[in-house]
Amino acid sequence: QHCFTKSEDGFLYCEGLKVDEIMDFVERRPFYLYSKPQITRNVEAYKDALEGLRSIIGYAIKANNNLKILEHLRKLGCGAVLVSGNELRLALHVGFDPTRCIFNGNGKILEDLVLAAKEGVFVNIDSEFDFENIVAAARIAQKRVNVLLRINPDVDPQVHPYVATGNKNSKFGIRNEKLQWFLDAVKEHPNELKLVGAHCHLGSTITKVDIFRDAAIIMVNYIDQIRAQGFEVDYLNIGGGLGIDYQHSGAVLPTPRDLIDTVGELVLSRDLNLIIEPGRSLIANTCCLVNRVTGVKTNGSKNFIVIDGSMAELIRPSLYNAYQHIELVSPAPEDAEIAKFDVVGPVCESADFLGKDRKLPTPNKGTGLVVHDAGAYCMSMASTYNLKMRPPEYWPSKQCPERYSSWKKGGGEEGLLVVVTVPESASG
Ligand code: LLP
């Protein structure tokens, strides 16, 4: 079951609402359109897979930090994975249980570590200086901090180099030759630190579960070594990174169940509490960026569809050459010529594209066009480049299927869509 479906007559729907008609009611474009039920389904898939294991689902807030979405994820029982002081403050504000939160990062600063220590969140040790800062924070907060060692397992995640984090030359984590130094250092600080586990994160958009298995084997070996020295470590944190089918190819990609099936037995064999840190696989497929076609043009051998959305709202194609599926929200006129287009925005640089060489019917001006799977690392990476405004975000309201038919154009947005966020700048 998926939230965005195309009807036989060629209209795109989100949770039973015609996207084409939703567009009539939203003044600002582009905008993000989410499905709340899809978020629920994604979390449930993880929960089902984790049944029978002691575990924490730590949602990686960096993927999408919309307040309503965070509240929803918290209510569903997720913890939170944080990489900045402000993400930590936001998680606390939303009411995430601090003992289900994990503070990550290779450059955590003292002030933020003090807050983490006071609140009792797990902190991952990333380096020697990070260790020193965590000890200092524990003293200031007068709290013993639960720490995990972030180990760099040197496993190749087979992804774009910008989103690989677990290979030995990356800036993240601790290499095995330094493990003993950290164990000795923790031993010397029993009042400040309690070593409770080991963490790794291999990278993002991973599509083979064997990669997680390789890492889990390495990690439980480390845990055996750590336990052999008298530490009572209980947590194995295998990070996030599960990919999704951005191509919409129907390819069978690993599911949460496939992931947990691959590592579950290892976890049980050592009686560990498993922490996972999914971002993308919880939120990416719950959202579209909804745009309008401004016009169509041809230069040399290239055809372009120019839309109002751009790299400012959605930078993944420009930054990682990432593929996100693009389609029109309504059927093209029968005589529309099908051609290959680059789908581009109005921003003043040639890196401003949402898709390249996409086979699409030539759209009329004003046609709606969506970029799929835009729930993760899209709004959270949006900028105001060219003084574009960060887009508003909506999800269809609960009552809307019933109220929809009687809903009149121009009547406002209430009842049809719930405004998840309209950024401050929208009112200006
Ligand atoms: N845990 C740690 C320590 C991480 O660094 C990350 C992501 C996650 C968990 C969540 O990973 P996920 O399940 O979402 O793959 N901006 C890039 C992705 C950067 C990922 C950074 N770290 C993109 O748009 O593809």
Side-chain angles (χ1 to χ4, degrees):
Q1 192 184 4
H2 196 272
C3 52
F4 293 100
T5 48
K6 203 89 187 245
S7 62
E8 267 172 24
D9 57 354
F11 284 96
L12 187 73
Y13 286 79
C14 170
E15 298 295 342
L17 288 181
K18 230 180 205 176
V19 176
D20 193 37
E21 292 181 22
I22 292 176
M23 289 181 72
D24 290 343
F25 301 116
V26 180
E27 259 175 36
R28 279 196 40 211
R29 270 179 299 273
F31 62 92
Y32 282 105
L33 181 63
Y34 294 87
S35 156
K36 193 176 177 186
Q38 186 67 39
I39 300 175
T40 311
R41 288 194 286 271
N42 291 350
V43 175
E44 294 302 331
Y46 269 106
K47 280 193 189 166
D48 289 348
L50 285 161
E51 229 182 78
L53 288 180
R54 289 187 295 134
S55 64
I56 296 176
I57 302 172
Y59 166 66
I61 282 191
K62 74 189 95 175
N64 188 312
N65 53 35
N66 180 295
L67 203 60
K68 288 251 167 66
I69 290 173
L70 294 183
E71 279 168 1
H72 186 55
L73 289 165
R74 173 184 63 76
K75 285 185 194 149
L76 292 169
C78 293
V81 169
L82 320 157
V83 286
S84 72
N86 282 347
E87 285 190 356
L88 172 58
R89 285 173 200 98
L90 184 62
L92 295 171
H93 171 77
V94 170
F96 280 98
D97 174 357
T99 64
R100 296 170 72 77
C101 289
I102 301 104
F103 192 19
N104 259 312
N106 65 313
K108 304 186 281 298
I109 61 168
L110 184 62
E111 181 193 345
D112 299 335
L113 285 168
V114 172
L115 178 62
K118 279 189 182 147
E119 297 289 341
V121 315
F122 291 108
V123 178
N124 284 339
I125 304 176
D126 187 82
S127 63
E128 290 88 338
F129 72 77
D130 197 38
F131 173 87
E132 285 163 19
N133 284 341
I134 299 166
V135 170
R139 286 186 182 143
I140 295 168
Q142 297 186 317
K143 280 278 174 68
R144 192 173 183 213
V145 182
N146 287 326
V147 289
L148 290 85
L149 286 175
R150 174 160 182 173
I151 290 173
N152 174 327
D154 193 21
V155 171
D156 179 5
Q158 301 174 26
V159 295
H160 190 283
Y162 292 4
V163 296
T165 51
N167 15 25
K168 73 170 177 237
N169 291 326
S170 102
K171 69 171 179 170
F172 298 101
I174 295 161
R175 288 287 302 139
N176 55 354
E177 51 274 17
K178 288 190 176 165
L179 182 67
Q180 194 56 47
W181 184 92
F182 284 94
L183 295 181
D184 293 339
V186 171
K187 260 183 220 155
E188 281 167 28
H189 294 85
N191 298 327
E192 290 87 3
L193 306 180
K194 178 165 195 259
L195 183 63
V196 298
H199 168 257
C200 69
H201 173 73
L202 307 174
S204 212
T205 67
I206 299 170
T207 52
K208 297 188 189 116
V209 282
D210 289 357
I211 293 170
F212 289 101
R213 183 166 173 87
D214 292 348
I217 292 171
I218 294 172
M219 293 300 289
V220 293
N221 283 334
Y222 281 124
I223 286 185
D224 291 345
Q225 282 181 44
I226 296 170
R227 281 178 168 171
Q229 297 196 29
F231 292 98
E232 288 174 17
V233 294
D234 189 36
Y235 292 92
L236 170 61
N237 182 338
I238 55 160
L242 195 63
I244 65 147
D245 178 18
Y246 278 110
Q247 304 281 337
H248 283 216
S249 63
V252 180
L253 286 189
T255 60
R257 180 167 302 280
D258 296 329
L259 171 66
I260 304 305
D261 281 353
T262 359
V263 299
E265 275 197 13
L266 276 171
V267 171
L268 282 173
S269 71
R270 306 300 200 279
D271 189 21
L272 288 161
N273 193 326
L274 178 68
I275 303 178
I276 52 167
E277 304 184 331
R280 186 184 323 269
S281 52
L282 283 180
I283 198 76
N285 71 352
T286 70
C287 173
C288 277
L289 181 69
V290 183
N291 311 272
R292 248 191 221 294
V293 173
T294 308
V296 174
K297 70 186 275 187
T298 300
N299 267 349
S301 58
K302 278 275 178 198
N303 303 313
F304 299 94
I305 297 176
V306 184
I307 59 174
D308 42 18
S310 71
M311 68 185 289
E313 294 82 9
L314 198 157
I315 201 175
R316 300 190 67 259
S318 308
L319 195 55
Y320 316 111
N321 212 8
Y323 180 98
Q324 292 192 213
H325 198 61
I326 288 175
E327 66 181 335
L328 303 178
V329 306
S330 50
E334 261 172 32
D335 56 348
E337 196 189 327
I338 294 182
K340 273 197 177 161
F341 292 96
D342 282 8
V343 178
V344 303
V347 161
C348 286
E349 53 179 289
S350 296
D352 179 27
F353 63 92
L354 283 304
K356 291 220 155 156
D357 293 321
R358 302 300 174 87
K359 213 169 156 194
L360 289 164
T362 307
N364 286 333
K365 275 187 194 173
T367 302
L369 176 151
V370 293
V371 181
H372 278 290
D373 304 310
Y377 307 109
C378 292
M379 182 57 171
S380 66
M381 294 177 79
S383 75
T384 55
Y385 187 41
N386 284 198
L387 275 188
K388 293 201 85 192
M389 291 192 288
R390 297 184 82 226
E393 299 173 277
Y394 299 91
W395 63 34
S397 79
K398 249 195 247 146
Q399 342 55 327
C400 64
E402 300 88 78
R403 294 183 59 171
Y404 189 42
S405 51
S406 61
W407 216 74
K408 290 199 181 63
K409 192 169 170 168
E413 281 157 18
E414 200 189 333
L416 174 65
L417 292 171
V418 173
V419 180
V420 190
T421 341
V422 178
E424 292 281 294
S425 53
S427 57

